[in-house]
Amino acid sequence: MRSSGRIALLLGMMLFGSAQAANIAPVNAWEIPSAPLPDLSGQTHEVAEWKGKIILLNFFATWCLPCQVEIADLKRWQKAHGKSGLQVIGISLDETRKIRNFVRSLEISYPVLVAGPGGTALMALWGNRLGEVPYTVIIAPDGNVPYVSQGAFSAAAFDRYVVPLLQK
């Protein structure tokens, strides 16, 4: 697909909220503009660093109750499937100090990156036009985005969209 077609596809995802809702083919994650983000130690990362893995990209905020609830599942899935190629990555819309305490309290072991309060623009690039959290993007090893989820990411969605990728 030409560049203008990819841009139109991305805009369509932003307008409709997800590739599934818009009933259009999902955009390739590696063609979305890169956004280097710091982790809690200040080292910058890009999602493309985990290229080749099955990425569960989870946007969250410390004040968001559904975000807090789904973290137990995210931790469990990372522990159970990390050696099979799953990489959970949290992207927080909070300030570093708040995130650091939150991560320590909930014993989050997967990478957490800091987008800060301005992270809603980054979420829009990934198809979240409303800027609501939690918001989860599944990225296949080849960059295909088979699923995005507005709201808490469920075990049923994990089984339907992530497990088949783990079995390839």
Side-chain angles (χ1 to χ4, degrees):
M1 183 182 284
R2 293 189 340 230
S3 178
S4 62
R6 294 255 182 229
I7 291 170
L9 180 62
L10 181 57
L11 288 173
M13 285 179 69
M14 289 169 59
L15 290 172
F16 291 101
S18 77
Q20 284 64 36
N23 229 0
I24 55 176
V27 69
N28 189 290
W30 313 133
E31 295 176 6
I32 292 174
S34 180
L37 297 171
D39 62 18
L40 296 177
S41 66
Q43 183 178 1
T44 58
H45 299 274
E46 296 181 23
V47 174
E49 287 179 34
W50 292 280
K51 195 175 196 177
K53 292 188 174 274
I54 300 153
I55 299 171
L56 193 158
L57 189 64
N58 179 256
F59 291 88
F60 73 98
T62 59
W63 47 263
C64 165
L65 184 57
C67 298
Q68 295 171 23
V69 171
E70 76 178 350
I71 286 175
D73 285 336
L74 299 177
K75 291 179 357 183
R76 183 171 45 83
W77 294 327
Q78 180 61 54
K79 184 176 182 178
H81 301 289
K83 290 182 180 173
S84 299
L86 176 67
Q87 182 60 63
V88 175
I89 303 168
I91 299 183
S92 178
L93 305 184
D94 294 287
E95 298 168 356
T96 303
R97 180 185 52 77
K98 287 182 183 177
I99 301 166
R100 190 173 285 118
N101 292 335
F102 184 80
V103 167
R104 185 177 40 242
S105 296
L106 295 179
E107 300 178 340
I108 298 173
S109 57
Y110 52 82
V112 174
L113 306 180
V114 182
T120 54
L122 178 60
M123 285 195 302
L125 288 175
W126 288 100
N128 184 347
R129 64 185 170 89
L130 301 175
E132 296 175 354
V133 290
Y135 184 74
T136 302
V137 179
I138 303 301
I139 305 170
D142 64 359
N144 181 39
V145 179
Y147 185 73
V148 297
S149 172
Q150 183 78 51
F153 188 68
S154 69
F158 184 86
D159 291 343
R160 182 169 181 188
Y161 295 101
V162 177
V163 170
L165 294 171
L166 292 165
Q167 295 172 340
K168 286 185 178 180

